């Protein structure tokens, strides 16, 4: 019953509403965005315009409407973040559960390999992977983001699995002859639910920031597509003159990340207090 | 101010032969903001402007091009290592009389044997100098005595003097003969140049700075500045902020969007001069994987013409440069006496471009807004150097304009060294290239004729025998009128063949702190007369004094 | 203690070995030619190609290349940086100290600020100040590193042009200055990047430390102390802090990845010539040996950081000291 408290906190509600707005905006981008995000209507007269009624977020050096690009950027940035998180969570749970269930030598080897991966800072690892590609397909970017995000989750999952393995109800299930896969699906996963939800929410926030950072460095989402990071990159050569190109996508990014982090923390607190 | 500069020039001329170490004149530091490290400091290997700037000041040529950029005969050339020269009656050789006072920065005298050694090095195939093709008209160098170098030519040519002098910086034999030529490129010596120029090399801190100091005992006179520092900042924002804040003195390429900021700063002045750069989207007419095969797309002249029609060059130039550039001419520059502004460019006409693509068989048959032919999309990548914002922006503008006619363009931004490397190897389908053109219109031979495919700049392998013949005849013509006519015919041919979409010919605009008195910005090399730039003693700031050169380390050598 | 040191050291060495193996595999599975096509390009002089081959053993079978690669690494040879024309070790020798300086400054500053803020928060638990600081630290912790750096650059280079931007020192006058002025020159360049990194990292420490303090507050010994009549602040400072500090030590060791990540973006925005900027430059230049060199050095830093934390933790916690 205590779980309802997560919704009773005003900060949670603000976070959820913010995220809902972003998701709806991303989903209905063609309706919400006033212009085509890649169209260059007049590359001489309409470029580099500061915010105005016609272009509330201004225009970029290619005369594209920044508001439309931020809206479509939400679609791409959050889409990439969502899919990458999905991959990370799947891999993290699978690897952690396998390692924990296997135990012994296999577990030790799997954990040492994990240590090695965790020793490489994620950004550096991503840069090393991305540097090898001349022009990067979005699917590859998503895969790389997903493949580099599961290490810490798998360690937590392993710990939980080790603990649960010794718990009475798993012992009982094993005693009545349930096979391993069945135990994982029916007993372990539901118990890992809270860990996974929290890790997914915080991981989602992290991956959005990472994608923006990589796009800012010019090795993420390529032109002419809009992501929050590469809109900022479009203005990075003249930050003071084209401040609106850094400000608005940055604010969108910040709002999404704060909302996700708040939600993650609140969910964590709630689960902790129910335990 | 102009009067002062003129007086100074007179003074320089008067002092050129004598001792010029008057403390009232010498002094001060010039800090040049630059975007990157030099690729090399060994003249035959220098490929970037940064490297050229440093080596032009550390090394000397036999003679250098005058400010008029005349390349015919020896008119206007300024003596450097050669104080005079004598033409043979048949013009098949020129004897250069070296200045007997010329010394390397380690004190060893410069001799004719260094000149002979230099030619050998530029030609050596294991060094792979890009300038090798430019000196192909030279047969050999003989050294009858230590101060006379005789350059022999295969045949007489209007620009033989230019080729023998301006294309080669003389390097010291006694230093380089100790190192096998195949390992020059990676040798430590290449990063610690010893030349004979008015500035000597002091240090190169990778990614930070290159420093030269005045060679106070130089045979051509002591420079008026004590020190030149290239302060390296790849980030344009940081570089601009430092220039506006007075931390650097000279900003080489002020961009259109920063002009207003620089103009409003009372400590700065902007100087515009005619540059000799032009940029273009170059098509590779050969298969980048296998140069023996034609390019799957761009071997087709009509396809190139259709793509050119779809690109609104005038708007692109105005969007990227405002009024600081004009649309480029086909294969030439407005500064050339041979330039022909009456050549009608291929017109911007989307409808005609679409119709032409249709007629070539490139049609959108599956409704995805991309044209196909034989099951292949009309799609290609444009290679751009990410350090050049102008070129990156032009690529994004072209990408959208070609999308409108059903062509998919991907953009591949890479750092400059990779760009020039892949460009040299023709490893691209299309690239946005920019040529720092040769002061002579004959440079077209290196840039666009068949002769320039191997070893020259014609990395797109454009080859048309008619163009080649016209350029060759024009280059061989002694009569200026005949030369103009021939070049202009050649420009029409290359314009119609569209081996490239001609983009922008920018005006050069440099920003300078007011205390620096700048003289004679030569269009192709603004740094050429840096030894004559000066800072009045009363306007000097702290960093001017900090690098004061008082003693000459080379003087201890008699 | 000694056996612990040995076993931990071995474990760290194993991790580094795995990272090296992984980076070797990365080089050889790269779809783009890590040697920029120099090897199969007919225009490149055959002598140069042969030289490259011999240097990197690229025509040998993969296991042999691997042995060669590891042997080179063991000798401290990280390869040749194509884009800079120097050995990777020489490049890193220049840039790594600057990154370490930035990281160390930020670490010390954020440690002091983070612990201070958390202590204030816990001592005024539930107050408006606590709430404000909580929200402020969440705000900063959520701030994308590069965006915060851009905002600070914007504010302090264009609107309030007070500090020096770009580079680690003024390349022109630095070498000519007297020692004290040199120090201030360095400081003037260090402040903005270091402040940015500190803001990002202090918020994390504050949040962590606040949680840790609240965790230990209900513990038995604190209850005992309280029953002895000690004042709340004394309890907080003496007992709670000591326990929370243990956790903090761990956190510092584990913070290296975050600091390194932040440093990459901050160095890029402020043109701070450290390892991050070198790495970003190397990506565009497809200078693969330099990228991999940075990855290996970064990983070694992380491993050393966690090893250090582990040892410090055991040294600081008397309960574990006998182990």
């Amino acid at each position: 019953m205590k779980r309802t408290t997560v919704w009773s906190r005003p900060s949670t509600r603000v976070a959820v509403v913010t995220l809902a707005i972003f998701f709806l905006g991303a989903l209905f981008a063609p309706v919400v965005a006033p212009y085509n995000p890649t169209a260059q209507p007049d590359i001489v007269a309409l470029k580099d315009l500061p915010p105005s009624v016609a272009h509330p977020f201004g225009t970029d050096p290619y005369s594209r409407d920044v508001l439309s690009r931020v809206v479509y950027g939400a679609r791409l940035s959050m889409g990439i973040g969502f899919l990458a998180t999905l991959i990370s969570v799947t891999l993290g749970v699978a690897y952690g559960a396998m390692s924990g269930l296997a135990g012994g030598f296999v577990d030790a080897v799997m954990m040492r390999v994990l240590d090695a991966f965790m020793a490489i800072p994620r950004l550096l690892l991503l840069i090393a992977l991305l540097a090898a590609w001349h022009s990067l397909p979005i699917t590859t970017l998503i895969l790389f983001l997903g493949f580099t995000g599961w290490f810490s989750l798998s360690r937590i999952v392993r710990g939980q699995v080790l603990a649960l393995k010794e718990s009475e109800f798993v012992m009982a299930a094993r005693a009545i002859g349930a096979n391993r896969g069945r135990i994982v699906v029916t007993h372990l996963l539901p118990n890992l639910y809270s860990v996974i939800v929290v890790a997914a929410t915080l991981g989602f926030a992290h991956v959005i920031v990472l994608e923006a950072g990589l796009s800012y460095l010019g090795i993420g989402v390529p032109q002419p597509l809009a992501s929050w990071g590469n809109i900022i990159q479009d203005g990075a050569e003249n930050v003071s003159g084209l401040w609106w190109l850094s400000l608005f996508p940055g604010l969108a990014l910040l709002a999404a990340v704060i909302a996700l982090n708040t939600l993650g923390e609140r969910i964590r607190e709630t689960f902790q207090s129910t335990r | 101010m102009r009067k002062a500069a003129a007086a100074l020039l007179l003074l320089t001329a008067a002092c050129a032969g004598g001792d010029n170490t008057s403390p009232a004149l010498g002094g001060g530091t010039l800090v040049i903001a630059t975007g990157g490290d030099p690729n090399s400091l060994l003249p035959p290997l220098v490929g970037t402007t940064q490297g050229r700037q440093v080596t032009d000041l550390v090394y000397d040529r036999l003679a250098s091009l005058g400010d008029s950029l005349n390349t015919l005969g020896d008119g206007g050339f300024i003596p450097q290592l050669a104080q005079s020269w004598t033409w043979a009656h048949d013009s098949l050789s020129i004897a250069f009389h070296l200045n007997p006072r010329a010394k390397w920065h380690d004190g060893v005298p410069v001799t004719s044997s260094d000149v002979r050694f230099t030619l050998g090095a530029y030609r050596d195939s294991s060094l792979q100098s890009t300038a090798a093709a430019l000196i192909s008209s030279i047969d050999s160098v003989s050294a009858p005595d230590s101060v006379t170098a005789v350059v022999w030519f295969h045949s007489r040519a209007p620009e033989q003097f230019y080729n023998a002098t301006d294309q080669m910086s003389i390097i010291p034999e006694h230093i380089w003969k100790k190192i096998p030529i195949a390992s020059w490129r990676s040798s430590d010596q290449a990063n610690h140049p010893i030349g004979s120029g008015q500035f000597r090399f002091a240090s190169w801190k990778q990614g930070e700075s290159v420093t030269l100091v005045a060679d106070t005992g130089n045979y051509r006179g002591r420079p008026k500045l004590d020190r030149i520092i290239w302060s390296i900042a790849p980030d344009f924002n940081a570089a601009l902020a430092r220039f506006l804040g007075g931390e650097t003195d000279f900003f080489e390429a002020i961009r259109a969007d920063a002009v207003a900021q620089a103009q409003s700063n009372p400590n700065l002045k902007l100087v515009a001069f005619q540059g000799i750069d032009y940029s273009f989207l170059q098509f590779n007419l050969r298969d980048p994987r296998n140069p023996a095969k034609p390019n799957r797309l761009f071997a087709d002249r009509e396809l190139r013409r259709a793509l050119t029609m779809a690109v609104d060059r005038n708007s692109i130039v105005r969007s990227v440069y405002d009024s600081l550039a004009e649309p480029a001419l086909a294969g030439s520059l407005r500064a050339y006496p041979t330039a022909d502004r009456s050549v009608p460019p291929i017109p911007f006409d989307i409808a005609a471009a679409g119709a032409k693509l249709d007629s070539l068989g490139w049609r959108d048959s599956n409704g995805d807004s991309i044209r196909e032919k034989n099951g292949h999309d009309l799609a290609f990548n444009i290679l751009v150097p990410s350090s050049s914002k102008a070129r990156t922006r032009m690529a994004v503008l072209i990408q959208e304009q070609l999308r409108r006619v059903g062509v998919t363009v991907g953009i591949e931004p890479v750092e400059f060294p990779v760009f020039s490397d892949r460009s040299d190897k023709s490893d691209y389908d299309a690239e946005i290239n920019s040529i720092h053109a040769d002061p002579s219109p004959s440079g077209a031979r290196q840039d666009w004729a068949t002769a320039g495919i191997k070893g020259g700049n014609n990395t797109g392998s454009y080859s048309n025998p008619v163009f080649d013949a016209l350029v060759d005849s024009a280059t061989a013509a002694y009569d200026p009128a005949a030369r103009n006519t021939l070049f202009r015919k050649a420009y029409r041919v290359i314009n119609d063949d569209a081996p490239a979409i001609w983009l922008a010919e920018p005006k050069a605009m440099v920003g300078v702190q007011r205390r620096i008195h700048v003289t004679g910005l030569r269009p192709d090399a603004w740094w050429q007369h840096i030894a004559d730039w000066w800072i009045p003693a009363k306007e000097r700031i702290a960093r001017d004094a900090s690098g004061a050169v008082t003693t000459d380390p080379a003087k201890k050598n008699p | 203690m000694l056996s612990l040191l040995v076993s931990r050291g071995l474990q760290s060495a194993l991790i580094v070995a795995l990272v090296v193996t992984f980076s070797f595999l990365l080089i050889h599975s790269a779809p783009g030619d890590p040697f920029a096509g120099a090897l199969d390009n007919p225009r490149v002089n055959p002598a140069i190609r042969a030289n490259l081959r011999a240097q990197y053993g690229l025509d040998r079978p993969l296991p042999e290349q691997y042995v060669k690669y590891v042997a080179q690494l063991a000798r401290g040879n990280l390869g040749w940086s194509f884009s800079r024309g120097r050995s990777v070790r020489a490049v890193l020798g220049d840039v790594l100290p600057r990154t370490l300086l930035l990281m160390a400054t930020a670490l010390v500053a954020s440690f002091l600020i983070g612990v201070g803020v958390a202590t204030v928060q816990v001592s005024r638990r539930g107050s408006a100040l606590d709430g404000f600081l909580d929200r402020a630290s969440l705000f900063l912790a959520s701030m994308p590193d590069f965006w915060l750096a851009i905002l600070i650059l914007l504010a302090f280079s264009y609107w309030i042009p007070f500090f020096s931007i770009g580079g680690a020192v003024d390349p022109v006058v630095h070498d000519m200055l007297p020692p004290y002025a040199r120090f201030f020159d360095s400081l003037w360049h260090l402040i903005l990047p270091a402040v940015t990194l500190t803001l990002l990292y202090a918020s994390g420490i504050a949040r962590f430390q606040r949680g840790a303090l609240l965790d230990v507050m209900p513990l038995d010994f604190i209850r005992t102390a309280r029953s002895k009549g000690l004042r709340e602040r004394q309890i907080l400072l003496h007992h709670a802090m000591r326990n929370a500090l243990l956790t903090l030590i761990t956190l510092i060791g584990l913070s290296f990845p975050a600091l390194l990540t932040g440093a990459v973006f901050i160095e890029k925005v402020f043109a701070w010539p450290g390892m991050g900027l070198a790495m970003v430059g190397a990506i565009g230049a497809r200078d693969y040996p330099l990228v991999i060199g940075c990855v290996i050095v970064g990983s070694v830093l992380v491993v050393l950081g966690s090893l250090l934390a582990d040892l410090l933790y055991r040294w600081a916690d008397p309960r574990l000291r006998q182990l």
Side-chain angles (χ1 to χ4, degrees):
Chain A
M1 272 310 98
K2 254 190 170 177
R3 223 167 250 194
T4 49
T5 53
V6 73
W7 304 115
S8 62
R9 300 273 301 264
S11 59
T12 320
R13 273 179 270 159
V14 172
V16 169
V17 169
T18 311
L19 286 174
I21 291 173
F22 275 106
F23 274 113
L24 289 175
L27 208 56
F28 297 105
V31 184
V32 179
Y35 303 89
N36 176 339
T38 57
Q40 303 174 354
D42 184 339
I43 57 174
V44 177
L46 292 181
K47 65 160 180 148
D48 298 341
L49 294 181
S52 64
V53 179
H55 300 281
F57 288 4
T59 64
D60 73 4
Y62 307 102
S63 76
R64 302 179 294 206
D65 178 57
V66 177
L67 173 59
S68 307
R69 287 182 74 73
V70 170
V71 171
Y72 274 86
R75 191 179 232 199
L76 199 59
S77 295
M78 302 198 49
I80 290 174
F82 182 79
L83 291 173
T85 310
L86 204 63
I87 295 173
S88 299
V89 168
T90 313
L91 283 174
V93 170
Y95 193 95
M98 273 201 300
S99 183
L101 283 174
F105 179 69
V106 177
D107 180 43
V109 169
M110 284 178 85
M111 282 302 112
R112 288 295 84 75
V113 171
L114 194 64
D115 282 338
F117 280 124
M118 288 181 80
I120 310 179
R122 189 176 181 185
L123 180 75
L124 268 55
L125 182 59
L126 277 166
I127 288 179
L129 287 167
L130 295 173
W133 292 74
H134 286 259
S135 49
L136 183 77
I138 298 280
T139 40
T140 318
L141 180 66
I142 295 172
L143 287 176
F144 282 162
L145 285 168
F147 286 155
T148 54
W150 52 271
F151 312 135
S152 54
L153 175 63
S154 72
R155 169 154 295 177
I156 301 170
V157 168
R158 170 182 170 268
Q160 297 270 324
V161 167
L162 283 182
L164 286 167
K165 220 162 79 168
E166 307 308 318
S167 68
E168 286 167 18
F169 65 95
V170 172
M171 296 278 207
R174 204 176 276 172
I176 59 164
N179 71 21
R180 279 190 168 191
R182 207 181 156 79
I183 294 175
V184 171
V185 174
T186 56
H187 297 284
L188 294 183
L189 278 183
N191 279 285
L192 290 172
Y193 174 72
S194 63
V195 175
I196 295 172
V197 169
V198 172
T201 318
L202 298 178
F204 191 6
H206 192 62
V207 120
I208 291 181
V209 174
L210 258 182
E211 178 270 317
L214 292 170
S215 297
Y216 168 74
L217 293 180
I219 49 174
V221 176
Q223 291 278 2
L225 295 173
S227 94
W228 290 334
N230 75 10
I231 301 170
I232 297 175
Q233 166 62 37
D234 285 337
E237 54 179 290
N238 185 5
V239 184
S240 61
L242 305 175
W243 52 267
W244 53 93
L245 278 171
S246 307
L247 184 68
F248 295 113
L251 284 176
L253 179 60
L254 183 63
V257 173
I258 290 184
L260 284 167
N261 280 344
T262 311
L263 196 62
E265 297 246 332
R266 295 291 169 262
I267 296 174
R268 194 215 311 266
E269 283 167 17
T270 313
F271 280 129
Q272 273 171 355
S273 60
T274 49
R275 210 159 285 145
Chain B
M1 208 51 71
R2 179 162 296 177
K3 208 180 264 176
L8 193 83
L9 276 176
L10 284 174
L11 203 57
T12 318
C15 295
D19 187 19
N20 189 13
T21 49
S22 157
L25 273 177
T29 297
L30 175 74
V31 184
I32 299 167
T34 193
D37 281 301
N39 71 321
S40 169
L41 292 182
L42 183 61
L45 297 180
V46 162
T48 60
T49 321
Q50 284 87 7
R52 173 101 199 271
Q53 289 166 13
V54 177
T55 53
D56 274 2
L57 299 178
V58 172
Y59 291 95
D60 280 338
R61 299 176 163 81
L62 288 172
S64 80
L65 199 60
D67 288 358
S68 63
L69 301 190
N70 169 58
T71 54
L72 300 173
D74 60 8
F77 278 82
I78 302 165
Q80 283 195 348
L81 282 173
Q83 55 185 1
S84 63
W85 45 83
T86 320
W87 290 74
H89 288 298
D90 57 2
S91 295
L92 283 176
S93 70
I94 304 171
F96 289 92
H97 310 291
L98 304 188
N99 191 320
R101 288 182 299 115
K103 283 189 173 59
W104 297 109
H105 294 150
D106 59 3
V108 176
V110 179
T111 66
S112 51
S113 157
D114 291 315
V115 179
R116 191 173 48 196
F117 180 78
T118 301
L119 177 73
Y122 270 84
R123 284 220 179 133
D124 197 301
S125 64
S126 53
L127 192 60
Q128 297 228 304
S129 167
T130 50
L134 301 169
I135 49 172
S136 58
S137 65
I138 300 176
D139 176 72
S140 60
V141 173
S142 61
D145 63 64
S146 72
V147 289
T148 310
V150 183
V151 178
W152 297 86
F153 299 87
H154 294 300
S155 59
R156 62 191 284 261
E159 295 186 332
Q160 68 190 92
F161 187 86
Y162 169 62
N163 290 334
T165 55
D166 204 68
Q167 306 289 14
M168 279 188 294
S169 292
I170 309 300
I171 59 174
E173 180 181 22
H174 69 283
I175 301 283
W176 289 101
K177 73 178 175 196
K178 291 183 229 153
I179 304 168
I181 196 158
S183 51
W184 282 13
R185 199 176 276 268
S186 56
S187 73
D188 194 46
Q189 188 64 53
N191 298 337
H192 296 87
I194 291 177
S196 58
Q198 284 173 290
F199 288 91
R200 56 169 72 216
F201 174 79
S203 69
W204 176 10
K205 293 182 199 156
Q206 289 264 352
E208 281 181 48
S209 63
V210 179
T211 305
L212 304 185
V213 295
D215 184 40
T216 48
N218 194 271
Y219 70 100
R220 288 202 285 139
R222 182 207 199 283
K224 294 180 183 57
L225 295 168
D226 276 344
R227 194 166 53 146
I228 301 175
I229 297 170
W230 283 263
S231 175
I232 298 160
D235 182 85
F236 182 83
N237 272 313
L240 183 66
R242 291 187 52 198
F243 175 62
L244 295 175
E247 285 185 44
T248 55
D249 298 320
F250 189 89
F251 202 86
E252 189 181 339
I254 295 271
R255 285 208 305 255
D257 52 11
V259 165
Q261 264 177 301
Q263 268 168 345
S264 63
N265 187 321
N267 295 325
L268 307 177
K269 56 188 171 185
L270 293 175
V271 184
F273 63 101
Q274 184 63 52
I276 56 166
D277 293 282
Y278 67 107
S279 58
F280 42 87
L281 183 142
Q282 185 157 28
F283 297 116
N284 191 351
L285 277 61
R286 297 268 132 201
D287 185 336
R289 301 270 152 247
N290 179 4
K293 289 203 312 196
N295 191 283
R296 67 194 164 91
L297 297 174
F298 304 128
D300 181 356
R301 174 182 188 258
E302 296 312 308
L303 176 65
R304 301 195 304 262
R305 286 174 60 89
L307 293 176
T308 307
M309 281 182 203
V311 173
D312 181 2
R313 304 181 310 131
N314 288 323
S315 297
I316 288 177
V317 170
R318 275 178 57 206
S319 175
V320 175
Y321 291 96
D322 284 336
S323 59
L324 287 178
E326 289 178 272
L329 303 174
S332 79
L333 282 174
R334 286 176 172 76
Y336 290 157
T338 56
D340 184 358
R341 291 167 205 227
S342 65
V343 179
I346 296 174
F348 166 55
D349 186 339
I350 290 189
K356 197 167 182 88
L357 288 171
D358 282 342
S359 73
L360 292 171
W362 291 103
R363 293 198 185 86
D364 178 20
S365 45
N366 58 4
D368 62 353
S369 305
I370 302 165
R371 292 173 188 268
E372 313 85 20
K373 185 164 145 183
N374 306 329
H376 293 288
D377 281 350
L378 183 44
F380 61 92
N381 275 358
I382 299 180
L383 188 70
V384 284
S386 52
S387 53
S388 166
K389 286 300 163 201
R391 284 191 250 171
T392 312
R393 281 176 61 179
M394 290 195 282
V396 177
L397 294 169
I398 290 170
Q399 178 186 45
E400 168 66 9
Q401 295 187 352
L402 290 180
R403 188 197 59 78
R404 290 179 194 162
V405 291
V407 182
T408 300
V409 172
I411 297 173
E412 229 181 302
V414 293
E415 290 283 306
F416 190 79
V418 184
F419 175 83
S420 61
D421 188 48
R422 287 187 54 189
S423 181
D424 287 348
K425 293 176 195 156
S426 304
D427 184 11
Y428 63 88
D429 274 326
E431 64 170 2
I432 298 199
N433 202 353
S434 171
I435 287 189
H436 187 68
D438 199 279
S440 158
S442 334
R445 192 162 182 275
Q446 294 307 314
D447 298 337
W448 300 106
T450 311
I453 296 178
K454 281 206 173 88
N457 296 322
N458 187 1
T459 62
S461 302
Y462 166 64
S463 176
N464 181 338
V466 179
F467 178 78
D468 293 349
L470 285 167
V471 170
D472 284 348
S473 322
T475 306
Y478 284 89
D479 171 39
R483 179 173 131 110
N484 286 358
T485 313
L486 288 163
F487 266 122
R488 286 172 187 176
K489 280 186 184 159
Y491 296 153
R492 278 176 195 265
V493 173
I494 193 172
N495 182 63
D496 291 344
D497 281 345
I501 301 179
W502 312 103
L503 294 171
E505 187 185 326
K507 287 176 195 140
M509 172 84 87
V510 297
V512 202
Q513 302 287 348
R514 283 204 179 276
R515 73 175 206 291
I516 315 277
H517 292 243
V518 171
T519 62
L521 298 170
R522 201 174 99 186
D524 65 320
W526 53 259
W527 55 89
Q528 205 64 39
H529 301 298
I530 261 185
D532 294 332
W533 297 9
W534 59 297
I535 303 168
K538 60 179 188 302
E539 290 176 41
R540 287 180 199 158
I541 57 176
R543 72 164 168 264
D544 287 322
S546 66
V549 178
T550 47
T551 53
D552 179 4
K555 269 209 174 124
K556 57 179 178 277
N557 301 301
Chain C
M1 193 72 196
L2 188 71
S3 67
L4 175 90
L5 203 66
V6 170
S7 84
R8 283 282 145 172
L10 280 176
Q11 219 169 2
S12 305
L14 183 67
I15 294 172
V16 171
L18 281 168
V19 169
V20 165
T21 309
F22 177 70
S23 64
F24 174 81
L25 292 174
L26 211 57
I27 294 180
H28 287 273
S29 60
D33 185 345
F35 298 100
L39 282 179
D40 44 34
N41 191 310
R43 282 192 179 194
V44 172
N45 188 314
I48 295 177
R49 272 185 279 162
N51 195 321
L52 262 178
R53 269 216 182 87
Q55 200 170 347
Y56 292 91
L58 293 169
D59 51 352
R60 314 303 304 166
L62 213 58
E64 194 182 324
Q65 284 190 47
Y66 177 70
V67 170
K68 198 167 179 177
Y69 177 74
V70 172
Q72 293 289 319
L73 280 184
R75 263 178 266 147
N77 181 1
L78 289 161
W80 184 260
S81 160
F82 294 105
S83 65
R84 302 197 175 214
R86 297 199 302 160
S87 72
V88 170
R89 185 164 68 168
V91 175
L92 289 174
D94 276 356
V95 297
L96 186 61
R98 301 199 193 104
T99 297
L100 290 178
L101 172 69
L102 183 61
M103 282 170 61
T105 316
L107 191 63
V108 171
S110 42
F111 181 89
L112 293 176
I113 296 173
V115 170
V117 166
T119 311
V120 168
Q121 277 186 284
V122 172
S123 69
R124 306 252 164 93
R125 230 165 328 168
S127 71
L129 183 68
D130 180 24
F132 168 77
L133 288 173
D134 190 46
R135 259 167 279 147
S137 63
L138 180 68
F139 179 79
L140 280 173
S142 304
M143 193 70 112
D145 353 35
F146 71 96
W147 194 60
L148 179 66
I150 288 176
L151 291 186
I152 289 181
L153 175 80
L154 194 54
F156 286 97
S157 72
Y158 299 106
W159 299 334
I160 318 162
F162 194 58
F163 297 101
S164 304
I165 306 284
V169 294
D170 186 324
V172 183
V173 294
H174 187 77
D175 290 342
M176 281 78 187
L177 294 173
Y180 74 92
R182 257 187 233 191
F183 172 76
F184 279 108
D185 181 44
S186 300
L187 189 67
W188 231 229
H189 284 81
L190 178 64
I191 283 181
L192 287 185
V195 162
T196 313
L197 194 52
T198 303
L199 280 178
L200 289 167
Y201 200 59
S203 57
I205 292 194
R207 294 185 72 69
F208 185 89
Q209 176 70 352
R210 179 174 176 269
L213 280 175
L214 289 177
D215 279 350
V216 293
M217 288 305 272
L219 289 179
D220 286 345
F221 69 92
I222 291 188
R223 231 170 277 146
T224 319
R226 205 173 279 165
S227 65
K228 279 196 231 156
L230 290 171
R231 281 177 47 219
E232 181 92 342
R233 189 155 301 170
Q234 279 172 303
I235 298 170
L236 187 67
L237 286 177
H238 288 108
H239 297 280
M241 282 296 281
R242 191 183 157 74
N243 269 279
L245 274 178
L246 286 177
T247 346
L248 205 57
I249 289 173
T250 325
L251 195 67
I252 288 171
L254 301 177
S255 69
F256 273 61
L259 282 172
L260 272 171
T261 304
V264 169
F265 287 115
I266 286 163
E267 288 181 6
K268 164 76 181 151
V269 173
F270 290 105
W272 176 265
M275 192 170 82
L277 195 64
M279 194 171 178
V280 171
I283 313 167
R286 311 279 169 209
D287 188 346
Y288 227 65
L290 184 54
V291 173
I292 292 296
C294 292
V295 170
I296 291 177
V297 168
S299 307
V300 168
L301 280 181
V302 170
V303 170
L304 284 180
S306 62
L307 182 65
L308 185 73
D310 214 14
L311 298 177
L312 273 178
Y313 191 81
R314 277 163 206 267
W315 168 79
D317 190 336
R319 282 171 299 174
L320 295 169
R321 208 175 282 176
Q322 292 82 358
L323 293 177

